[in-house]
Amino acid sequence: MNFSEMIINSYKSCTKSFINFNAEASMKNRHTAAIIVVLCGRIRFDFEDISIECDKDHAIFIPEGASYSFYCSEYAENLLFNFTTTSDELLPSSITGINHTVAQECFDRISNLTSKAHQSTHLIMSTFYEFLSHSFPVLEKVENAEEFV
């Protein structure tokens, strides 16, 4: 996967999920792209042509429009970042080397910003890009995300 070709249109939301042991679900035609950072536990994502196991050492990128099911083989906690991209050719991918501390700090800052109606969207995008620049070294940090919003 070449993430250097991914252009993000907009940040949508972030949530922290707690998934019980043996939980399973499916999603058809996901309406946003997502990065899921597993903080603890293990989750298997099954796509049409590939299965990806995620744990604290492996996050996952899920593109817009993807259909998949997931199964949680043990209790899991994860951070979910939803966003839209300009590319429709991206494939589901395992991501290694995610810094959980940076992911949690950015998640907390974004959550705090979205709870304040007077905060500008560009601050949220800037924080999201900060998380991505730490997660994907090929991305350049955006100093002024306002022009991308």
Side-chain angles (χ1 to χ4, degrees):
M1 161 78 49
N2 187 356
F3 287 104
S4 64
E5 297 175 9
M6 179 171 66
I7 298 173
I8 296 171
N9 288 342
S10 63
Y11 165 82
K12 293 297 183 184
S13 65
C14 63
T15 58
K16 186 170 187 175
S17 300
F18 306 92
I19 306 171
N20 290 326
F21 169 71
N22 281 338
E24 54 187 313
S26 62
M27 178 170 283
K28 297 215 181 277
N29 298 318
R30 184 176 180 79
H31 66 281
T32 63
I35 293 175
I36 300 173
V37 179
V38 178
L39 302 175
C40 71
R42 181 178 304 276
I43 307 169
R44 185 187 73 235
F45 292 86
D46 296 316
F47 299 88
E48 185 176 314
D49 297 330
I50 189 171
S51 290
I52 298 174
E53 283 278 331
C54 295
D55 56 23
K56 65 179 181 61
D57 296 322
H58 299 89
I60 188 171
F61 167 77
I62 303 174
E64 289 176 63
S67 295
Y68 60 94
S69 61
F70 72 85
Y71 173 73
C72 192
S73 59
E74 56 188 74
Y75 172 82
E77 295 179 14
N78 65 68
L79 303 177
L80 169 66
F81 296 88
N82 293 302
F83 55 98
T84 61
T85 68
T86 57
S87 178
D88 57 357
E89 298 179 11
L90 298 171
L91 299 173
S93 301
S94 178
I95 306 167
T96 58
I98 294 272
N99 183 321
H100 288 86
T101 302
V102 170
Q104 185 68 60
E105 287 172 357
C106 289
F107 175 87
D108 292 342
R109 288 187 5 235
I110 290 170
S111 295
N112 188 40
L113 288 170
T114 55
S115 69
K116 298 178 180 177
H118 67 280
Q119 293 293 339
S120 299
T121 303
H122 74 278
L123 291 174
I124 293 170
M125 282 294 289
S126 179
T127 303
F128 184 57
Y129 269 100
E130 179 182 341
F131 162 65
L132 293 174
S133 69
H134 285 286
S135 303
F136 307 99
V138 296
L139 297 178
E140 296 177 20
K141 185 172 180 179
V142 175
E143 296 299 328
N144 184 3
E146 201 167 50
E147 62 193 68
F148 294 99
V149 177

